[in-house]
Amino acid sequence: NAGVTQTPKFQVLKTGQSMTLQCAQDMNHEYMSWYRQDPGMGLRLIHYSVGAGITDQGEVPNGYNVSRSTTEDFPLRLLSAAPSQTSVYFCASSYSGQGGGEKLFFGSGTQLSVL
Amino acid sequence: AQSVTQPDIHITVSEGASLELRCNYSYGATPYLFWYVQSPGQGLQLLLKYFSGDTLVQGIKGFEAEFKRSQSSFNLRKPSVHWSDAAEYFCAVGAVAAGNKLTFGGGTRVLVKP
């Protein structure tokens, strides 16, 4: 079982460059989300999706775009990278959790540095 | 807005000793409460969760947590730690009406001395 797969594992960008962090899950989960992890701040929700074609903003969405064209994939786009986006990014998925409380399955993370 | 506070940034414990990690949350409605563990260079793994029922919840790896509504706390405990328990631990809260969106605490890093 692959679970949640994130690529790349490491990335260095220059300010103003764009890139896409990839996330794929093979568990047929309806719910997918992106978090960023910064020291002392835990994980903060960037964007989430409750199904193909449906996305919404989380706590810290500025500077990031998402789309969900298939159930399996949920890419995160940085249109113009800024040093403040230096962080570790985690993708997570779960069953729909419309009532909440579902277990999140996390990818292994992408460490991004913006110079 | 919901929030989660983990007052201890670092805890050092000797192998075989007991461990308690503190978590306080703020949320107006009935919350879901979670503890996740992150080993170095890895994603997060669910240890246990609470929504209702027995306030003492058993999880994986010998961990348990106790929900105390009057104190808005959900502390994690383990009677005897192993070297493999060295990791970062995150408490998180979710709302019944908010699907699977979680608010995480800042984390507690646990170091285990031999």
Side-chain angles (χ1 to χ4, degrees), chain B residues 18-76:
Chain B
S18 63
L19 175 68
E20 181 168 12
L21 304 182
R22 296 183 290 164
C23 172
N24 294 98
Y25 71 92
S26 172
Y27 191 67
T30 303
Y32 287 101
L33 294 161
F34 304 82
W35 276 99
Y36 280 85
V37 60
Q38 183 182 32
S39 298
Q42 301 297 315
L44 279 71
Q45 180 184 21
L46 179 67
L47 283 175
L48 48 80
K49 73 175 185 182
Y50 172 81
F51 174 58
S52 64
D54 192 345
T55 57
L56 186 63
V57 182
Q58 302 298 319
I60 62 171
K61 303 185 180 187
F63 284 92
E64 66 179 25
E66 185 171 13
F67 172 63
K68 293 185 177 180
R69 185 183 300 277
S70 61
Q71 299 177 18
S72 297
S73 69
F74 189 55
N75 294 349
L76 182 72

Side-chain angles (χ1 to χ4, degrees), chain A residues 37 42 90 94 97 99-102 104, chain B residues 32 36 38 49 90 96 99-100 105:
Chain A
Q37 181 181 20
F90 287 98
S94 75
E102 295 294 334
L104 292 181
Chain B
Y32 287 101
Y36 280 85
Q38 183 182 32
K49 73 175 185 182
F90 293 93
V96 170
N100 248 5

